[in-house]
Amino acid sequence: MEHIETEVKFILSDVQSVRERIVELGVDVKGRVFETNMRFDDVDESLLRNKSLLRLRRDANTKLTYKSEPAIKDDQFKTFRELEVQVSDFTTMKLILEHLGFHQAQIYEKWRETFIFDDTLLCLDTMPFGDFLEIEGKKEYIKEAASKIGLQWGQRITLNYLAIFEIIRQELKLPFTDVTFDNFQKIRIDIAKYHHLIEADLMNS
């Protein structure tokens, strides 16, 4: 079923203290998983140019997702139309996409611990380039959750992880495009140094 995905992100300098504050809210803890994500595109990179995403994700399950920008943008939140379906076999789904003319354009990995707070999804994400909290749900619930966790609304991020990585890649002139832990093994990044380039209010000012 198609729906509008609404979320924001926050850079975390102290993951453990944020996690403790989240748990103190009485959340439902869903566990931590490792994700492998593949972004697919056609030969003309038309999905990327149209700010759309075709993604195959493997963690405990395998899901195929298509995202596209909604007609009306929101500078307070990251919003996307989303179509998602669970599939039974990662490798077979990858072959189907390739036979349809798509190619694997990019890989990105992360560790994700998920919590449910009322009707809001809280995700502690460890990316190869930094730690984040992603909050997804209804707009008013997102703001409420961020406030209760003690996060500053003005420091929120509305970019996706690939867009954040692209800014870092250009700033550091990194020679790779896949966001894997192996690629960052010998690279130490203080993600807070790039906050001024990705903070939502600064980008929209």
Side-chain angles (χ1 to χ4, degrees):
M1 180 181 294
E2 182 181 41
H3 74 282
I4 299 296
E5 175 191 68
T6 304
E7 64 186 39
V8 297
K9 294 178 179 64
F10 294 89
I11 292 174
L12 301 183
S13 57
D14 186 346
V15 177
Q16 187 57 35
S17 66
V18 171
R19 188 185 188 281
E20 289 171 0
R21 277 178 261 157
I22 289 173
V23 172
E24 286 172 0
L25 295 176
V27 297
D28 184 7
V29 181
K30 293 298 186 181
R32 191 170 189 251
V33 297
F34 181 76
E35 288 184 8
T36 299
N37 299 273
M38 289 185 179
R39 178 178 70 82
F40 287 83
D41 214 324
D42 58 24
V43 292
D44 298 319
E45 298 289 327
S46 59
L47 292 175
L48 183 63
R49 287 190 289 102
N50 291 323
K51 297 183 179 179
S52 298
L53 175 75
L54 180 61
R55 179 188 68 203
L56 185 61
R57 168 177 289 172
R58 175 168 55 192
D59 45 38
N61 301 296
T62 298
K63 292 181 180 179
L64 180 68
T65 306
Y66 174 74
K67 296 186 181 186
S68 61
E69 285 195 324
I72 300 176
K73 296 182 181 180
D74 189 327
D75 61 8
Q76 291 291 305
F77 301 87
K78 172 180 172 281
T79 57
F80 268 86
R81 292 196 207 95
E82 182 180 68
L83 289 165
E84 187 169 81
V85 62
Q86 186 167 316
V87 297
S88 61
D89 189 284
F90 182 91
T91 302
T92 302
M93 189 69 247
K94 179 176 180 291
L95 288 172
I96 290 172
L97 292 172
E98 289 171 348
H99 281 290
L100 289 172
F102 296 101
H103 66 273
Q104 176 188 304
Q106 196 172 18
I107 297 175
Y108 60 105
E109 299 173 338
K110 69 167 161 298
W111 282 96
R112 165 166 284 187
E113 185 174 17
T114 303
F115 310 86
I116 305 295
F117 174 55
D118 294 334
D119 292 325
T120 308
L121 196 65
L122 308 175
C123 299
L124 283 175
D125 290 338
T126 298
M127 299 295 296
F129 52 79
D131 297 303
F132 299 82
L133 174 66
E134 184 175 280
I135 308 177
E136 178 182 343
K138 294 182 179 179
K139 295 178 181 181
E140 61 271 25
Y141 294 167
I142 291 175
K143 280 192 169 184
E144 179 185 359
S147 176
K148 288 187 174 181
I149 297 169
L151 300 169
Q152 298 297 316
W153 186 249
Q155 295 181 345
R156 74 196 181 283
I157 300 164
T158 56
L159 296 176
N160 63 38
Y161 286 125
L162 292 181
I164 296 171
F165 165 71
E166 184 58 24
I167 290 171
I168 295 170
R169 191 183 70 82
Q170 292 185 19
E171 287 291 309
L172 297 179
K173 297 180 173 57
L174 298 176
F176 53 83
T177 58
D178 285 339
V179 192
T180 65
F181 287 94
D182 279 348
N183 279 343
F184 278 86
Q185 194 171 16
K186 296 182 179 179
I187 301 172
R188 294 292 175 265
I189 291 181
D190 181 1
I191 187 65
K193 291 183 178 179
Y194 304 95
H195 202 283
H196 67 289
L197 299 175
I198 59 179
E199 186 178 299
D201 285 348
L202 292 176
M203 292 188 68
N204 293 316
S205 61

